[in-house]
């Protein structure tokens, strides 16, 4: 049976990364985000079709997340070298172009497994998105079939609802009253 993650400390991780400009390799750990909110999302593979629509949409909205004291980190099972090639490839060639956040490599598939999004028989991750609070508690998760992209607007809405500190009814939007 699957284990619940929401309301618990987010599973720790350390992964190699490539910067959003595709120029630098590094490492990232969950502890690097202490004191900030984190939108942490998994996607199946580099050089695919739905993934770049999500990744570039999140990158275009990065300023909105930054204004909410929130970092973004994308991850797949691909290597940092594949991530770098994808960032540096032209959009006409199926590339991403520069991003406003890093991409991490879960080449061992351990992090995808720890977060419950690994499709073991295919060796790739489902589209999982997690919001982790400044103390490392996992506050939100959504996991969906790889055929369907996620919504930046809904991610921002949920983030703001979580940051409001109160009870938020159905269809709550920033500026609405809490219960």
């Amino acid at each position: 049976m699957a284990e619940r993650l929401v309301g618990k400390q987010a599973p720790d991780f350390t992964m190699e990364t490539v910067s959003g400009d595709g120029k630098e390799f590094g490492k990232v750990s969950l502890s690097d985000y202490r004191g900030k909110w984190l939108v942490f999302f998994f996607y199946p593979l580099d050089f695919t079709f739905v993934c770049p629509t999500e990744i570039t949409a999140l990158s275009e909205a990065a300023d909105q997340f930054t204004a909410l004291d929130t970092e973004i980190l994308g991850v797949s099972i691909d290597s940092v070298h594949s991530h770098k090639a994808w960032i540096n490839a032209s959009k006409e060639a199926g590339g991403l172009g520069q991003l406003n956040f890093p991409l991490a490599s879960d080449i061992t598939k351990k992090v995808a497994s720890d977060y419950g999004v690994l499709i073991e028989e295919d060796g790739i991750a489902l589209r999982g998105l997690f919001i982790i609070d400044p103390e490392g508690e996992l506050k939100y998760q959504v996991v969906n079939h790889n055929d369907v992209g996620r919504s930046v607007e809904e991610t921002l809405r949920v983030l703001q609802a979580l940051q409001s500190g109160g009870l938020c009814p159905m269809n709550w939007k920033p500026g609405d009253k809490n219960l």
Side-chain angles (χ1 to χ4, degrees), residues 6-7 29 35 47 50 55 58 61 66 78 103 111 113-114 124 129 133-134 138 159 161 173-174:
V6 172
S29 296
F47 294 98
V50 177
I55 294 168
L58 280 164
T66 299
D78 297 289
L103 295 179
V111 182
S113 179
D114 289 349
I124 61 172
L129 185 140
D133 79 4
L138 202 149
L159 175 64
K173 292 184 210 110

Side-chain angles (χ1 to χ4, degrees), residues 76-109:
S76 79
I77 55 90
D78 297 289
S79 73
V80 289
H81 303 288
S82 178
H83 291 341
K84 180 178 181 175
W86 198 25
I87 290 167
N88 289 321
S90 71
K91 290 190 179 185
E92 297 76 35
L96 290 174
Q98 292 197 353
L99 302 173
N100 293 308
F101 54 83
L103 295 179
S105 170
D106 182 23
I107 205 157
T108 67
K109 303 173 180 78

